[in-house]
Amino acid sequence: MSRLLTRSTENRRAERDYENLLVVDDVRLAFGGVTAIDGVSFHVDDGELYAIIGPNGAGKTSIFNCLNQVYHPDEGDIRWKGKTVLGLKPNQTAELGMARTFQNIALFPHMNVVENILTGRHIRMDQTWWQGALWLGKGRRDEFENREVVEDIIDFLEIERWRKQPVGMLPYGIQKRVELGRALAMDPDLLLLDEPVAGMNLEETEDMARFILDIRDELGIAIILVEHDMGLVMDIADRVMVVDFGRKISEGVPEVVQNDPEVIKAYLGET
Amino acid sequence: MRGRPLLVTNYADDQAMLKSTTQTVMAGLFLLFLVCIPLFAPGAIGGGESRIPGPTFLAGADWLKLLSELGIFAMAALGLNILSGLAGQVSLGHAFFMGLGAYTAAVLGSGPGALWGVGLPIWVWLPMAGLIPAAVGIVISPTAVRVRGLYLAIVTLGLVFIGEYVWRNLDFITGGSQSGRNFPALQVRLWREEEALLDLEASGTWLGFLNLSGEGKFYLFILALTVLFVIVAKNIQRSRVGRAFQAIRDRDVAAEIMGVDEFRYKTLAFAISSFYAGVAGALLAVEVGRTIPEQWDLLLSVEIIAIVLIGGAGSISGVLMGSAFVVLLPRLVQDFGNLLQQSAASGGVLATIFDPILSTGPGDFGVVNLSPGVAPGLGILQLNTLIYGLLIIAFLIFEPLGLYGVWVRIRNYWKGWPFTY
Ligand SMILES: Nc1ncnc2c1ncn2[C@@H]1O[C@H](COP(=O)(O)OP(=O)(O)O)[C@@H](O)[C@H]1O
Ligand SMILES: [Mg+2]
């Protein structure tokens, strides 16, 4: 992973001239009559592993879509390093330093593993389209340098043997890993993971948990982890927020949240 | 394939255009063959009757013209493939950009005369024939980029009709529907001097010993340009920009969240594809010699789309195979018709076989009609159109990867030969 550390934890701290990496301030979002997010506020700091849990339909994915500006909140503000992201285009949120994986895998199905992760390098690559079209000097060199970063990520995620396979044919758990790799390739400050272990067996879940912790600890990348059940989250998160029907019903360190009567009620109510 | 054929030890090899030595050698030999085609003609080399041994008929004027046309259509289709195959934007407007390129070339390249012409040399008019359509593509794209799928198809369809209307009415440029206009000759000049440095349409001797016909030179020029366009298309496909195109095609929201500016890249795809179309259009007009505005119609767009679909959208080798197919098919059908006629006339076993499908005169019923107007049945032209249509439908249904898919299967079969696993 060494070469991926273009901006180490120390550098990230040194660059810092803001209070919180991300601040979500009383965001509301409705689709017609359906209120998806109903006044949610929270903040995430550098290097923090922040978890959002809640039953299906609670509004977790919608929160991510607001951060990426795929959805535009009706009210409230979202500030990245002190500046609002409202009004940006989704691709501009990527350039700020947000990367994301999707609840329903959104890999590029006609590309192989290497190409998918290389696409994640898009904003970090240093070539114009015509330098790529000529494939001489600069463009060629840029492709190879970024290919090295991709290989580091492939090593890190232990997916070497699937390197040249079209992603559509890979097992589900591996696809999830490739998607994590693609997000990691963006060299982000904040990683948004939408249900990264949904549908995985125990072993795959443990692998994924290990990768997530390594990303936080070795690379110092802040993570927001969305899950709909508590298991994994309570073990690895620094802080947890519980949402239900678009509202925050609890927030704090895992031990506190776990014993919050509101949370117990919401989860017992669901099952 | 010696040693460990797929072992690569550096990224350059791994991302190379041609992945193995065998592939490189095969491609090299094939290219050499293509370069040698004009030299298959008797007397092509030196003073006597010497030539490079090979199929002589390919070096005839008609086949050289056909092969040049193949290269030109391949260029146009490579452009559409970038827009539709890579970036996933269906466009019916390719003929418009081809026409725009052709008239740009005509205005800039033809000398002053009855129609508007500036008389600039080829190194101005040929690049401009690409750049002007690219610029127009950029101007139009904000409208086109906002709509998707079928709506985009309809918007670009409109472009072809508007184009045809404009060409018909700009008769001081296009010559109008009646007479059309001539296009500049393929001659290389430094500026406007009388004597051309290089005349690619008249026969002559190159390097003192290669005797080439005008068609031969034209063909070689088109071949060189096609190779260049193929290489650039391949590079676009394997670099950052090509991945951005494919990302937009496959998952537009995910692509944006990866940082791909959808608007910018769709516009870029439009511009690059229009550049290819414009250059191809100019060369097509030069090759045909005289065209009328109606030549740049929907049918031309459909032909280019057919190439991309038959070849297998997204693959460059597919585009080349598709072009060969679409351009050579009419000729093969025609030859087939002639063969039918000859064997029917000469009698014998073949005649009895062919007779039921041939219709030679009134009262004779058959699928293929050799004397149109007199007997029932399909003319050669209709037969052609029918075969096209059926093939496109067949490919869409049975082999979405097109000729490229068929080729991959054949190749994989032979890779495993003699084992069929
Ligand atoms: N694009 C959309 N259009 C309409 N309703 C939506 C859309 N996206 C989300 N919703 C609604 O918002 C609510 C929250 O959904 P979501 O954020 O996907 O929940 P979660 O990810 O927590 O399961 C649901 O009621 C859902 O139906
Ligand atoms: Mg969700």
Side-chain angles (χ1 to χ4, degrees):
Chain A
M1 292 301 277
S2 56
R3 274 169 296 191
L4 188 62
L5 281 167
T6 51
R7 290 171 302 146
S8 64
T9 314
E10 287 68 36
N11 286 340
R12 282 179 218 273
R13 296 232 168 87
E15 280 169 14
R16 215 180 127 141
D17 58 351
Y18 48 85
E19 193 142 349
N20 303 109
L21 179 66
L22 176 76
V23 177
V24 173
D25 187 5
D26 199 19
V27 163
R28 277 162 216 278
L29 174 75
F31 298 99
V34 182
T35 305
I37 308 174
D38 194 6
V40 166
S41 302
F42 64 94
H43 67 90
V44 179
D45 292 320
D46 285 287
E48 191 178 20
L49 207 175
Y50 188 83
I52 304 178
I53 60 170
N56 272 327
K60 306 178 299 289
T61 301
S62 299
I63 293 175
F64 274 7
N65 279 330
C66 287
L67 298 183
N68 279 129
Q69 288 294 291
V70 176
Y71 295 164
H72 303 284
D74 302 321
E75 279 174 53
D77 195 10
I78 297 169
R79 286 185 297 278
W80 174 263
K81 299 184 180 176
K83 292 191 202 76
T84 186
V85 304
L86 301 186
L88 295 183
K89 295 198 286 174
N91 62 290
Q92 291 171 311
T93 66
E95 276 169 30
L96 290 179
M98 289 188 219
R100 167 161 174 197
T101 68
F102 298 81
Q103 185 175 349
N104 304 307
I105 297 172
L107 289 169
F108 305 118
H110 296 99
M111 297 184 190
N112 64 28
V113 171
V114 168
E115 289 162 342
N116 263 282
I117 303 180
L118 263 175
T119 310
R121 294 297 295 166
H122 185 83
I123 54 171
R124 303 291 171 210
M125 292 183 99
D126 185 25
Q127 58 174 298
T128 59
W129 69 269
W130 50 269
Q131 283 167 336
L134 294 177
W135 200 264
L136 302 166
K138 180 97 178 262
R140 208 173 115 96
R141 212 172 329 116
D142 189 45
E143 287 289 328
F144 295 157
E145 281 167 10
N146 283 280
R147 176 67 195 273
E148 284 188 41
V149 178
V150 169
E151 288 299 329
D152 282 349
I153 292 173
I154 287 177
D155 281 351
F156 169 68
L157 294 174
E158 296 159 17
I159 45 177
E160 294 90 342
R161 46 186 283 230
W162 290 284
R163 197 185 267 123
K164 286 301 180 89
Q165 302 242 353
V167 290
M169 285 146 70
L170 298 179
Y172 177 80
I174 301 303
Q175 292 197 22
K176 281 272 189 193
R177 248 191 246 185
V178 175
E179 214 191 16
L180 177 63
R182 186 181 66 177
L184 210 49
M186 295 167 71
D187 200 1
D189 292 331
L190 175 65
L191 198 51
L192 309 173
L193 305 178
D194 199 344
E195 308 207 5
V197 299
M200 284 190 173
N201 62 30
L202 187 64
E203 193 191 335
E204 288 172 326
T205 304
E206 279 172 358
D207 282 342
M208 189 55 90
R210 186 160 50 81
F211 293 133
I212 293 173
L213 286 173
D214 281 352
I215 290 167
R216 199 249 336 244
D217 297 340
E218 286 178 27
L219 303 179
I221 297 172
I223 298 172
I224 304 183
L225 174 62
V226 156
E227 269 304 327
H228 79 266
D229 63 12
M230 299 211 198
L232 172 74
V233 163
M234 293 303 168
D235 289 340
I236 65 173
D238 296 322
R239 282 190 305 141
V240 181
M241 169 170 77
V242 186
V243 287
D244 197 12
F245 295 111
R247 267 191 305 272
K248 171 156 97 179
I249 59 171
S250 181
E251 186 182 25
V253 294
E255 301 78 59
V256 173
V257 169
Q258 229 160 354
N259 299 315
D260 187 327
E262 283 285 325
V263 176
I264 294 167
K265 202 172 87 195
Y267 268 80
L268 287 181
E270 195 208 12
T271 52
Chain B
M1 295 256 261
R2 292 186 18 233
R4 297 156 70 186
L6 294 175
L7 175 77
V8 289
T9 50
N10 59 48
Y11 298 130
D13 286 349
D14 197 42
Q15 275 159 282
M17 221 179 275
L18 301 162
K19 294 255 156 41
S20 66
T21 322
T22 327
Q23 237 177 347
T24 315
V25 170
M26 295 295 275
L29 285 177
F30 185 60
L31 195 59
L32 188 68
F33 173 79
L34 292 179
V35 170
C36 288
I37 285 179
L39 304 177
F40 293 159
I45 295 171
E49 279 296 284
S50 36
R51 66 183 194 103
I52 293 183
T56 319
F57 74 95
L58 285 177
D62 57 338
W63 267 92
L64 285 173
K65 275 186 100 102
L66 206 58
L67 293 174
S68 305
E69 206 171 297
L70 197 168
I72 294 168
F73 270 80
M75 286 185 233
L78 283 169
L80 186 66
N81 189 50
I82 288 171
L83 182 63
S84 302
L86 274 194
Q89 308 302 303
V90 182
S91 168
L92 290 169
H94 222 53
F96 166 74
F97 293 105
M98 291 176 76
L100 187 59
Y103 290 123
T104 304
V107 168
L108 294 179
S110 308
L115 299 175
W116 192 25
V118 192
L120 296 173
I122 190 169
W123 55 264
V124 178
W125 66 254
L126 192 53
M128 287 310 276
L131 290 173
I132 297 284
V136 171
I138 289 173
V139 171
I140 295 174
S141 66
T143 324
V145 161
R146 264 172 242 287
V147 293
R148 281 157 210 260
L150 264 186
Y151 296 100
L152 178 60
I154 290 166
V155 167
T156 50
L157 177 67
L159 214 52
V160 179
F161 289 118
I162 294 171
E164 251 189 278
Y165 176 81
V166 171
W167 307 143
R168 260 201 301 273
N169 286 285
L170 289 179
D171 46 12
F172 65 103
I173 290 177
T174 66
S177 304
Q178 296 305 316
S179 49
R181 89 168 280 167
N182 276 323
F183 287 83
L186 215 51
Q187 293 171 334
V188 183
R189 287 183 172 76
L190 276 183
W191 194 236
R192 287 168 168 167
E193 65 273 13
E194 273 296 306
E195 190 72 24
L197 286 180
L198 194 60
D199 191 335
L200 295 162
E201 290 190 25
S203 54
T205 304
W206 277 1
L207 305 173
F209 71 103
L210 299 175
N211 306 314
L212 292 164
S213 62
E215 289 83 8
K217 290 188 192 170
F218 191 95
Y219 161 81
L220 287 176
F221 178 75
I222 298 291
L223 178 62
L225 219 52
T226 309
V227 169
L228 182 71
F229 275 39
V230 165
I231 291 174
V232 170
K234 184 72 197 175
N235 288 342
I236 286 176
Q237 195 175 19
R238 64 174 166 164
S239 64
R240 176 177 182 259
V241 55
R243 285 188 299 269
F245 287 160
Q246 295 173 63
I248 291 172
R249 176 194 66 194
D250 289 348
R251 301 244 180 224
D252 48 0
V253 175
E256 281 190 279
I257 288 173
M258 301 281 100
V260 177
D261 185 340
E262 190 180 358
F263 184 85
R264 189 184 123 84
Y265 278 91
K266 280 186 179 174
T267 306
L268 185 59
F270 241 98
I272 296 175
S273 123
S274 305
F275 181 94
Y276 271 73
V279 171
L283 292 168
L284 184 63
V286 168
E287 197 257 349
V288 174
R290 187 173 199 89
T291 67
I292 53 172
E294 283 74 13
Q295 172 152 13
W296 315 105
D297 64 356
L298 184 61
L299 196 63
L300 181 62
S301 283
V302 171
E303 256 183 310
I304 309 289
I305 292 174
I307 291 178
V308 175
L309 286 183
I310 290 180
S315 124
I316 286 174
S317 356
V319 165
L320 298 178
M321 289 187 262
S323 312
F325 194 84
V326 165
V327 175
L328 300 184
L329 183 70
R331 171 65 190 237
L332 297 178
V333 172
Q334 189 193 334
D335 285 355
F336 178 65
N338 292 340
L339 176 76
L340 285 182
Q341 200 162 25
Q342 276 166 17
S343 41
S346 64
V349 188
L350 281 179
T352 12
I353 298 172
F354 288 148
D355 188 57
I357 58 168
L358 279 178
S359 120
T360 43
D364 183 5
F365 291 94
V367 184
V368 183
N369 175 6
L370 296 170
S371 38
V374 186
L378 297 166
I380 293 292
L381 268 176
Q382 288 156 316
L383 183 64
N384 229 326
T385 319
L386 193 71
I387 293 182
Y388 264 9
L390 289 178
L391 278 167
I392 293 176
I393 294 171
F395 275 120
L396 285 181
I397 295 176
F398 299 113
E399 182 59 80
L401 292 177
L403 284 177
Y404 179 71
V406 175
W407 153 246
V408 167
R409 269 204 247 147
I410 295 173
R411 191 189 59 191
N412 288 347
Y413 174 78
W414 284 108
K415 249 189 195 164
W417 194 84
F419 308 103
T420 48
Y421 52 83

